Amino acid sequence: MELIWQGTKQAVVLLVRGDPEVLRIMLLSLQVSGIATLLSLLIGIPAGTILALSRFPGRGIAISLVNTGMGVPPVVVGLFVSILLWRSGPLGFLELLYTPTAIVLAQLVIAAPVVTGLTVAAIQQLNPRLRMQLMGLGASRLQVVYFLLKEARLPLLAALMAGFGAVISEIGASMMVGGNIHRQTRVLTTATVLETSRGNFDMAIALSLLLMLLTFGVNVTLTWIQQRGRTP
Amino acid sequence: MNRPILYLDGITVSYDGMLVLDVPSFEVQEGETLAVIGPNGAGKSTLLRVLGLLERPTEGQVVFGGRPILQDGNLLMDRRRMASVFQEPLLTDGTVEANVALGLRLRRIDSAEVSRRVQQGMTTLGIGHLAKRRTRTLSGGEAQRVSLARALVLDPEVFLLDEPFAALDPPTREALLLDLKTILDKRRITTIFVTHDRNEALLLGNRVAVMMGGRVQQMDTPERVFAEPVNEEVARFVGIETILRGHVEAVSQGLATVAVPGWMLEVAGPLTPGERVLVCLRPEEITLFPCRTTVSASSARNQLYGSVIRHLPIGSTFRVTIDCGIPIVATVTRQSWEQLGLEDGAEVVAAFKATAPHVIRCV
């Protein structure tokens, strides 16, 4: 207990003093996971909308694949992205391995199925007749999609939260494709692992606290947006 | 009634090879209110969706305003000349006025015009005071008024309603029905109104189409559909409960003698001896008398003796079933029921005029 207490006290001191190393790691984490989440929205919302609203052969299999993708362990993603980006791999010429871009790519692969799957669910939970009603009021195909997404905005925000939560907290993929390089690819989760292995519990606890505060802050904001104006 | 604004030619709709709609031809006249009635699963809503260009038929052609609609072309401009209201109000999350404005905004009409038409629409439907209310706080009746206003502000050439009052309680439904009738009578919008409620069809429809099993069984004025159904299914659906199978024995001076099991009935109408017929009697056409009463032969040529086997209170009336060897259903007022002592087992005479039955020839 003493270890935790001392560690926590020193962590607070580190945070209050604004330790530059801690700040750098936090900003890189936010940047990498933020970009990965944003890209996953750009891919996942249209893909989820198409899967939810259209009928085509293989649609069921596609939805199953997306749902499976929601549960793929980050280390598996890390492994495949590493192979892809390896110097002799298919995308080796891009020289992205052990860069923040590689972490963004890996996190995108983790978050995109989450956002896609939850978008499918968000649209499918709407009254199926709403689409017909919008068409019956003269909506074009694009207008129908716009209004359906607008009506599903609350569960879509949940998709955003889940996507961000999945990538900000993952470690396997970031470690494998980023390499946890000091001042380059070290993010909150990989840094926490490193500091723990070194026995620097104050630093490790400070990083963990930051990670939790960050996740909490983002989710509180999104929940506030989601719930405002709603009465129980 | 002027000219057909909508016409269906050889329309079929099949789902997974199962035929759910088969309409060789169907006309909607400009300015009329056409009520489409039928039991659940009759294909009414499918017909409405095809007419509203909301569903592509498997086969056939929709002709709108004299022009065939290309089903694989861009239907948006034609669909925007129509407006639909469904059983559920299907409002979007937001204020009442934003919902009433929805269709106008979809058409990118300028704000001043939207505002003017929304105000007018809300006033017409009596929901002006709800303008700023959020739709999820509305009652069922209020929400359906918003849905109607949202469609009517579009000034549609064709107004499509799919059982809009089915989910409402009776007083709310009646109030809304009367308001809608006033609006339709005043604005003469071509309206297709799907319902399974005969009274709604009678109140609103200039014409009535009866659908069963995906086919239009009869299409005529409400009076004719309700008084002269073309077949047994339609007769039962429009409320005729006594349907007797028989054949014409003889015809004399415009009166036919029809043999039904256990009785010879006198029925007016141009019938031919030997024809097989269905004699249809509405419950309100049958008068009941105590057994010992002599009923004037001139007023009621048919008098069947029997005993009451069932009585059901329906509002202010009783629906009484009499076993005359064949079941006869009559409607009597609560007062008559008490005066005549029509308890189960009571012996009565069921009388009706020769002109009362509607006769359907069996083919």
Side-chain angles (χ1 to χ4, degrees), chain B residues 2 90 97 134 170 172 184 219 234-235 240 270 280 303 338 350:
Chain B
N2 303 318
L90 296 165
E97 64 183 356
R134 296 196 74 86
T172 308
L184 295 181
M219 199 160 163
V234 176
I240 295 174
C280 304
Q303 297 171 23
E338 282 168 5

Side-chain angles (χ1 to χ4, degrees), chain A residues 192-213:
Chain A
T192 306
V193 171
L194 180 73
E195 299 301 340
T196 307
S197 66
R198 282 175 174 169
N200 294 337
F201 293 114
D202 53 345
M203 189 66 165
I205 291 174
L207 293 167
S208 303
L209 273 177
L210 255 184
L211 184 59
M212 284 195 291
L213 280 173

Side-chain angles (χ1 to χ4, degrees), chain B residues 15-69:
Chain B
Y15 300 140
D16 298 323
M18 203 175 88
L19 189 67
V20 293
L21 189 70
D22 182 6
V23 181
S25 80
F26 191 90
E27 252 182 40
V28 183
Q29 307 288 341
E30 193 168 352
E32 75 169 333
T33 299
L34 173 66
V36 181
I37 61 171
N40 292 334
K44 309 184 294 290
S45 297
T46 311
L47 175 75
L48 195 79
R49 288 197 296 273
V50 170
L51 287 165
L53 310 178
L54 297 169
E55 181 164 340
R56 190 177 297 180
T58 310
E59 289 175 311
Q61 182 84 67
V62 181
V63 181
F64 179 29
R67 191 170 54 83
I69 300 295

Side-chain angles (χ1 to χ4, degrees), chain B residues 105-275:
Chain B
R105 298 236 182 265
L106 292 171
R107 287 162 176 75
R108 304 194 191 289
I109 290 170
D110 74 84
S111 297
E113 176 67 4
V114 169
S115 176
R116 188 187 68 76
R117 280 160 77 168
V118 166
Q119 286 306 322
Q120 199 178 38
M122 289 193 300
T123 307
T124 308
L125 267 300
I127 49 169
H129 61 292
L130 301 172
K132 303 289 178 198
R133 279 265 295 275
R134 296 196 74 86
T135 50
R136 58 174 175 268
T137 66
L138 299 176
S139 70
E142 287 169 341
Q144 200 54 286
R145 280 181 185 272
V146 176
S147 181
L148 284 168
R150 182 173 64 176
L152 284 166
V153 294
L154 301 173
D155 275 332
E157 287 172 58
V158 178
F159 187 30
L160 305 138
L161 297 135
D162 191 358
E163 309 219 25
F165 310 126
L168 303 178
D169 59 79
T172 308
R173 182 167 63 216
E174 277 161 33
L176 203 42
L177 200 57
L178 290 174
D179 284 355
L180 180 64
K181 182 174 169 53
T182 308
I183 294 166
L184 295 181
D185 286 349
K186 195 168 146 193
R187 292 175 54 177
R188 313 292 303 161
I189 311 167
T190 307
T191 303
I192 304 151
F193 180 82
V194 163
T195 180
H196 62 260
D197 187 311
R198 300 182 296 239
N199 295 328
E200 287 182 4
L202 265 172
L203 182 72
L204 287 182
N206 305 122
R207 283 198 306 156
V208 172
V210 187
M211 287 204 69
M212 274 165 194
R215 291 183 169 84
V216 179
Q217 304 281 335
Q218 188 169 0
M219 199 160 163
D220 215 321
T221 60
E223 294 74 26
R224 285 195 65 151
V225 168
F226 283 86
E228 299 168 28
V230 291
N231 60 35
E232 187 174 351
E233 288 82 13
V234 176
R236 290 205 186 280
F237 189 76
V238 299
I240 295 174
E241 295 185 66
T242 304
I243 301 176
L244 307 170
R245 287 182 184 280
H247 66 272
V248 181
E249 283 276 317
V251 178
S252 165
Q253 295 177 328
L255 272 187
T257 305
V258 178
V260 299
W263 300 92
M264 294 295 240
L265 304 178
E266 287 197 14
V267 177
L271 294 166
T272 316
E275 274 186 308

